[in-house]
Amino acid sequence: MGAVPEEVDVVVIGMGPGGEDAAARLANAGLDVIAVESRLVGGECPYFACIPTKMMVRAADALGEAWRVPELAGQATVRPDWTPVANRIRDEATTDWNDEIAVRRFEDTGGRLVRGVGRISAPGEVTVGDQVFRARRGIVLNPGTDPLVPPIEGLAGSPYWTNRDAVPATRVPESLLVLGGGPVGVEFAQVFARFGASVTVLESRPRLLAMAEPEASEVLAGAFHACGIEVRTGCAVDRVKHDDLFQVHLESGEVFTGERLLVATGRSTDLGALGVAAVGLDEQARTVPVDGRMRAADGVWAIGDITGHGAFTHTSVYQARIAAADILGQGTEVADYRAMPSVIFTDPEVATVGLTESRARDAGIQVRTAITQIPASTRGWIHKAGNEGIIKLVADTDRGVLVGATVVAPAGGEIVGALAVAVHAEVPVQRLREMIFAYPTFHRAIEAALAGLDA
Ligand SMILES: Cc1cc2nc3c(=O)[nH]c(=O)nc-3n(C[C@H](O)[C@H](O)[C@H](O)COP(=O)(O)OP(=O)(O)OC[C@H]3O[C@@H](n4cnc5c(N)ncnc54)[C@H](O)[C@@H]3O)c2cc1C
Ligand SMILES: NC(=O)c1ccc[n+]([C@@H]2O[C@H](COP(=O)([O-])OP(=O)(O)OC[C@H]3O[C@@H](n4cnc5c(N)ncnc54)[C@H](O)[C@@H]3O)[C@@H](O)[C@H]2O)c1
């Protein structure tokens, strides 16, 4: 005989940033909430992704600035040491990969945590091991993603790294091969290079950060070249061998050797394991389609990476707020992704909002673009060492508003904030031109880019 189901209000499967946020909101509102988590409460972001990698970036950026001293300010002797980085990640970011604090924070809301793998076993029903829950109000799916490991001969079974191995690393390898030049690949590549590894990035597409504006990829490729990172684009990996070292054989016959191999080739989901077919969803799909209130099926909401609206923590938490409000019957907000921002934390940072030029054209928008070079701005010229960058604007000429922007610059992720407001609030380009931009800031280069939209 099966287990007797326990009646609750809501079951949240997966406690990533969004699941944690939604579960807390619902429990704080007085609902009886069960949160199911198979690994660590908080998900990828605090333990293996955003937070520890940005601690690495912070440290690597300090080194990067120190190396600019000779050009600007005399002499500095810099000897990179990974120990403070590894210790900080262990002690401050992840508490040694222990989620006790996050669990307590959630349980203080009145919610209950169940450790294990959750699965939709029938409409309105979630099974975790030998426990069965009937959710009166709904099920929230926030299972996130796992590193995708391509089926390359010799790779499976070799001691390759994914982000989950690179983050806890206590030593910088002598040499590192990075498979994939997307956000994960480029952030780790620059960090480990700055800490002394000899780094090669192998990317199958024609450029780094292929989803970004081509001009952004070009600036980043230049910055990588300048700091000694080898970048190979358009490469097809044939096979991988591992003895003492990794060897990556390309179809072209070239062979790259490294002490470590970081696989950063995207993310995967397993909707079959989540049991989504029980509520009529396609378990072969890579994403769970949701409406503007995150509804995926009758009584099922989905949030985070699996919705395919941008694999970012800010997406997950944004969607969590909307889903929780809808479950509570207070939903007035409908998701609007037009001004979705993203920041790749390389040096220079690659920050975007809204549509790229090509996506805007594909959407049938009458597009006009403008680009300004950061080194040509007053602040860029003053900044000198490390001033590489651009601002690119994408305007909808019919409506006279910006629909996208890219900022590659020192602190590009902060500069893009102004452009995110413009895209989000559909501020007319003419109104933007009438603004006063503080002198001499990096964001003042937006004014020059706006002027370029006339050309
Ligand atoms: C190296 C790296 C760096 C990144 N840096 C940034 C950054 O700087 N900024 C940014 O915005 N984003 C960044 N991201 C992306 C970000 O980590 C994710 O978008 C974010 O974690 C949100 O994911 P999520 O809410 O979908 O779930 P996740 O964080 O993936 O968490 C899902 C949770 O669900 C659990 N789970 C899965 N299935 C089940 C199940 N069946 N039962 C029980 N539990 C289950 C998992 O164990 C996991 O804990 C980065 C990603 C990587 C890999
Ligand atoms: N700062 C941030 O916000 C941040 C940082 C890291 C990751 N992320 C998120 O995490 C998600 C995953 O990032 P990612 O970089 O792992 O995935 P991705 O899919 O964005 O990039 C993977 C890259 O690997 C390449 N690739 C795939 N197979 C390959 C192969 N066999 N050989 C060589 N190259 C190959 C792809 O062409 C692509 O450029 C991203 O969508 C991003 O949203 C965000």
Side-chain angles (χ1 to χ4, degrees), residues 6 213 234 426 452:
E6 180 184 343
E213 294 282 10
E426 301 182 321

Side-chain angles (χ1 to χ4, degrees), residues 194-209:
R194 284 185 155 175
F195 274 90
S198 160
V199 177
T200 304
V201 180
L202 302 169
E203 164 59 50
S204 57
R205 296 171 76 178
R207 56 190 172 91
L208 295 175
L209 298 181

Side-chain angles (χ1 to χ4, degrees), residues 269-314:
T269 49
D270 184 356
L271 297 181
L274 206 55
V276 299
V279 288
L281 295 172
D282 179 3
E283 61 178 28
Q284 302 302 327
R286 293 189 58 198
T287 57
V288 173
V290 287
D291 70 8
R293 297 212 161 88
M294 306 306 130
R295 297 178 191 185
D298 202 20
V300 179
W301 285 256
I303 57 179
D305 291 3
I306 54 154
T307 65
H309 284 288
F312 308 112
T313 289
H314 45 267

